[in-house]
Amino acid sequence: MPQTSPLIQQHFSVTSCPPEVSLTVPQDRWRSWSSEPGAMNPFDGSGSPRHDEVGDSRCRWARFSSWLECVCVVTFDLELGQAIELVYPQDVKLTEKEKTSICYLSFPDSYSGCLGDTHFSFRLRQSVGRRALRFRDNVYNRDAPVTLQTEVSHFFGYVYFRQVKDISVKRGYFQKSLVLVSRLPYTHLFHSLLQIIAPEFFEKLEPCLEAVCNEIDQWPSPVPGLTLNLPVMGVVLQVRIPSKTDKPGGSPVKQSATENLVLAPTLLPTIHELDLFKCFQSVLIHLQMLWELMLLGEPVVVMAPSPTVSSETVLALVSSISPLKFCCDFRPYFTIHDSEFREYTTRTQAPANVVLGVTNPFFIKTFQSWPHVVRLGEVKMAGDLPKQMKVKKLSKLKALDTKPGIYTAYKTFLHKDKILIKRLLKGIQRKRPSEVQSAILRRHLLELTQSFIIPLERYMASLMPLQRSVTPWKTPPQIRPFCQDEFMSTLDHTGPQLTSVLKGDWIGLYRKFFRSPNFDGWYRHRHKEMTQKLESLHLEVICDADLLGWTKDKSEVEIVDLILKLREKLVKVRRLQLQVKDGVLDRFDAFINSIIRSLPEDLQTVLSAH
């Protein structure tokens, strides 16, 4: 049998391939492949998603499921306690563990005393064994900002809870929650949606819910960069889905053309942002500390008077390091019934890297060993200004009537931005609108995070091989490893002091950041992006090479090896939705087909069939 040429061995070395891929295929196997009934072909040149994914996209609720996993109605049963009354669509499969978690997380605990309508958010861990992300989720995640990507292992719950007196009920109160369950962190959009549908639902119940779900199933899928019109119950919500190519802190969303709409749309300026000023108004002087705690992924407990304050504060904290993704766990609303309660409250090991929002005073005793506890109360005014909380010793966190404050021994690496604090406090005195105050706050946090992350991005880019080193005759070159000491040596000339006025121990902050889950998550994401870029460049240079001329004096086995490897690369590029120049994939397909046509007819038949 002819041996594979040194050129092919160099180009497609076995050591660079997954162990299950064999690059040399004995000639006697080709005929047997073509004769095996139902033989599975690993080299599908079409690059299409798997059959079940295609089927999934055609199913009845395909568009609905690109926005929501399901809608749940949770009620209070005298015998069972909280219980799921309805799940829609009805064929959605939630595990018993997920149902139990949704039940407990959808009601404020008895200490909150929430009368009337209350809205809040929660986040719960999906049960083990759920299938991986769908094909369309991969496409969405490719183009979405990292902070808005689809959750892989958690669900978000968006709750509209109603508790009103009702003498017709044994307990004397009507208690029910409408819950939107989604993998998307679109907090503002889904709470705006609940404000429209929940009041009507509590009057008309299931028929109303079915109609709403059918309307959502007509919505276009969320595509980053597009402005969409989303009709529901006689209202059209106009939203823009952010894209990873958007300029951070760019202009607010403007209303787009509406000539084809019967109803004038209601413009939502954001799908995910919160009122940061409202969330942080009592901790403005400690904003620098809270930002550092989030950046470093420190364990933090937020104790709040209600699930609304708890969830909004946790989500605001997590978003404070945007556009950097918060890679630790976070629970906007956490209860003693949560399935991870024991995991997060054990005293036999150090607290986990998680931010928990709680309302039950019982947690004060439970979390005494945690290093950072933010105890919130109702916002109190000191004259015209909201009273600012103080930093207190953890040893004072004992009694159930613990006063509001930040209980920690943490010392910040950077100094406070006193100019920002004065500007915000002066804005309160001048009755500056909350949305303007929030914009100032968001801009400050964005610039602070960018000042920290830009030196890391610049150094990471220097680890990328030069484009001229990518050739068709070799596997793509490796990305150089990240060296912390080498990075530190760059800070004198390209450090954050170039873009930030804040003084302090930036180097100490970087050293601690390197030990955090947020650095690990950032590095893995950037390394993956760079690896995929190398794959795309490699495909493009192969496309420009004269491989067809190379095959003229090669054996059949060598040519078949080449075809298989090229097909494998093409399938990988399409499966991962890698971005390549226009026309490259079509040229690559045509190139493979032209090589196949140069082979004997029996091999052509086998290769064309597989």
Side-chain angles (χ1 to χ4, degrees):
M1 181 188 299
Q3 295 297 309
T4 305
S5 74
L7 180 63
I8 289 286
Q9 289 174 343
Q10 182 184 32
H11 187 178
F12 302 127
S13 63
V14 176
T15 56
S16 69
C17 301
E20 66 272 17
V21 178
S22 173
L23 297 183
T24 303
V25 182
Q27 286 176 318
D28 61 354
R29 284 295 294 147
W30 288 105
R31 279 92 184 164
S32 63
W33 270 13
S34 62
S35 62
E36 287 176 7
M40 185 174 68
N41 173 24
F43 305 109
D44 174 13
S46 69
S48 301
R50 297 191 315 271
H51 175 75
D52 63 325
E53 290 170 329
V54 175
D56 178 62
S57 68
R58 293 172 181 165
C59 74
R60 167 125 163 57
W61 297 103
R63 289 189 173 188
F64 176 92
S65 62
S66 68
W67 293 93
L68 296 171
E69 192 72 16
C70 63
V71 181
C72 298
V73 178
V74 182
T75 191
F76 191 88
D77 186 285
L78 277 175
E79 296 179 358
L80 302 175
Q82 282 107 296
I84 289 187
E85 183 179 287
L86 181 65
V87 177
Y88 212 88
Q90 295 169 346
D91 57 352
V92 168
K93 304 297 183 191
L94 293 173
T95 66
E96 289 305 313
K97 186 177 180 180
E98 288 167 346
K99 288 179 181 177
T100 301
S101 294
I102 290 171
C103 281
Y104 284 117
L105 290 169
S106 298
F107 269 44
D109 62 44
S110 56
Y111 297 94
S112 301
C114 298
L115 274 176
D117 292 348
T118 304
H119 54 88
F120 58 95
S121 310
F122 62 79
R123 184 170 178 264
L124 68 103
R125 189 180 294 171
Q126 294 175 19
S127 295
V128 177
R130 276 194 172 273
R131 68 174 181 158
L133 288 180
R134 292 158 291 212
F135 180 74
R136 64 166 173 268
D137 293 327
N138 291 326
V139 176
Y140 168 83
N141 284 347
R142 183 196 66 190
D143 300 325
V146 289
T147 53
L148 291 180
Q149 289 179 347
T150 306
E151 282 278 358
V152 177
S153 55
H154 291 79
F155 287 132
F156 286 101
Y158 304 97
V159 183
Y160 193 110
F161 169 73
R162 174 167 288 185
Q163 178 171 262
V164 292
K165 287 186 177 182
D166 186 345
I167 56 172
S168 66
V169 180
K170 275 190 178 182
R171 297 187 70 197
Y173 286 94
F174 171 91
Q175 293 175 303
K176 203 180 288 284
S177 284
L178 182 61
V179 188
L180 306 181
V181 180
S182 177
R183 298 171 189 262
L184 295 168
Y186 293 174
T187 309
H188 187 67
L189 170 62
F190 288 131
H191 279 300
S192 298
L193 184 60
L194 281 170
Q195 296 282 0
I196 296 169
I197 65 177
E200 189 83 2
F201 164 74
F202 289 128
E203 297 296 326
K204 298 179 180 176
L205 302 178
E206 188 173 348
C208 167
L209 192 59
E210 184 175 357
V212 166
C213 290
N214 279 309
E215 281 190 289
I216 294 174
D217 195 41
Q218 302 303 311
W219 288 2
S221 296
V223 177
L226 293 190
T227 297
L228 306 176
N229 292 309
L230 311 175
V232 60
M233 293 183 66
V235 177
V236 177
L237 296 176
Q238 189 172 94
V239 301
R240 184 184 181 278
I241 308 299
S243 166
K244 71 176 182 181
T245 59
D246 293 343
K247 182 182 177 183
S251 303
V253 178
K254 295 179 181 177
Q255 194 150 331
S256 65
T258 60
E259 61 270 13
N260 296 325
L261 297 175
V262 177
L263 296 167
T266 300
L267 177 68
L268 292 187
T270 175
I271 59 172
H272 65 288
E273 290 174 348
L274 297 153
D275 186 341
L276 284 188
F277 179 71
K278 175 186 168 188
C279 296
F280 290 146
Q281 59 182 319
S282 60
V283 292
L284 291 175
I285 62 174
H286 306 300
L287 201 60
Q288 180 62 43
M289 174 191 286
L290 296 172
W291 177 82
E292 287 187 21
L293 292 178
M294 294 301 105
L295 181 74
L296 301 175
E298 287 285 310
V300 175
V301 177
V302 175
M303 296 180 165
S306 71
T308 305
V309 176
S310 161
S311 60
E312 288 182 351
T313 304
V314 169
L315 292 172
L317 285 170
V318 166
S319 73
S320 68
I321 62 170
S322 179
L324 187 66
K325 184 175 183 178
F326 186 78
C327 296
C328 308
D329 196 2
F330 61 97
R331 304 301 173 90
Y333 178 52
F334 188 75
T335 76
I336 58 174
H337 302 289
D338 199 288
S339 57
E340 281 86 52
F341 175 76
R342 288 192 177 183
E343 175 185 336
Y344 287 147
T345 57
T346 178
R347 297 194 180 192
T348 58
Q349 58 190 42
N353 300 97
V354 60
V355 182
L356 300 178
V358 302
T359 59
N360 191 330
F362 164 79
F363 280 111
I364 292 179
K365 186 176 181 180
T366 308
F367 290 121
Q368 279 181 358
S369 61
W370 278 48
H372 319 290
V373 178
V374 180
R375 180 76 162 97
L376 299 173
E378 299 297 339
V379 176
K380 294 182 179 179
M381 302 300 289
D384 293 334
L385 303 176
K387 192 173 182 180
Q388 297 296 293
M389 296 197 313
K390 296 178 180 178
V391 174
K392 301 183 180 183
K393 294 179 180 178
L394 281 162
S395 57
K396 293 189 176 182
L397 188 69
K398 289 181 179 178
L400 288 179
D401 59 348
T402 298
K403 293 181 179 179
I406 301 177
Y407 293 81
T408 181
Y410 181 81
K411 301 297 181 186
T412 59
F413 287 92
L414 306 179
H415 305 316
K416 294 177 182 177
D417 189 334
K418 293 181 180 178
I419 296 174
L420 171 79
I421 296 168
K422 285 181 181 178
R423 187 181 178 192
L424 291 170
L425 295 177
K426 189 171 287 186
I428 298 172
Q429 291 175 322
R430 293 179 175 177
K431 303 289 191 292
R432 187 184 291 150
S434 183
E435 56 267 26
V436 179
Q437 294 278 74
S438 286
I440 294 170
L441 206 47
R442 187 170 287 108
R443 167 63 64 179
H444 167 78
L445 291 168
L446 172 65
E447 291 175 353
L448 182 57
T449 303
Q450 285 182 321
S451 293
F452 182 83
I453 215 73
I454 284 173
L456 286 164
E457 293 281 0
R458 188 182 291 118
Y459 174 71
M460 194 72 187
S462 73
L463 305 179
M464 183 80 165
L466 295 175
Q467 188 165 340
R468 65 172 178 265
S469 67
V470 182
T471 73
W473 315 115
K474 296 180 182 178
T475 55
Q478 296 291 306
I479 298 165
R480 287 199 301 121
F482 191 105
C483 175
Q484 294 181 16
D485 291 335
E486 186 181 37
F487 166 74
M488 292 297 190
S489 69
T490 68
L491 292 180
D492 285 342
H493 304 291
T494 60
Q497 72 278 1
L498 298 180
T499 52
S500 176
V501 298
L502 290 189
K503 306 295 182 183
D505 183 10
W506 286 97
I507 288 179
L509 185 60
Y510 279 116
R511 290 200 186 280
K512 191 155 188 180
F513 177 69
F514 289 145
R515 301 194 296 271
S516 76
N518 287 333
F519 170 72
D520 184 63
W522 171 82
Y523 175 76
R524 286 173 184 271
H525 178 75
R526 291 294 290 116
H527 194 276
K528 179 181 176 183
E529 281 188 333
M530 291 164 68
T531 302
Q532 291 180 346
K533 177 64 176 175
L534 283 172
E535 287 284 351
S536 298
L537 287 173
H538 193 221
L539 190 77
E540 289 170 11
V541 297
I542 290 174
C543 223
D544 293 334
D546 183 21
L547 293 184
L548 190 58
W550 174 87
T551 63
K552 288 180 180 176
D553 60 347
K554 297 299 181 289
S555 69
E556 289 180 3
V557 168
E558 288 174 308
I559 296 172
V560 167
D561 278 347
L562 177 63
I563 292 169
L564 289 181
K565 197 58 188 171
L566 292 179
R567 275 187 169 177
E568 180 191 345
K569 182 172 278 290
L570 187 60
V571 169
K572 181 179 180 181
V573 167
R574 282 176 165 154
R575 187 183 74 248
L576 297 177
Q577 290 288 301
L578 302 187
Q579 293 177 320
V580 293
K581 292 178 182 176
D582 290 343
V584 165
L585 296 185
D586 291 336
R587 284 168 57 202
F588 211 81
D589 254 336
F591 171 69
I592 292 172
N593 290 332
S594 65
I595 297 179
I596 291 174
R597 286 194 296 271
S598 71
L599 293 169
E601 286 189 10
D602 61 340
L603 279 180
Q604 285 189 43
T605 302
V606 173
L607 287 166
S608 298
H610 296 278

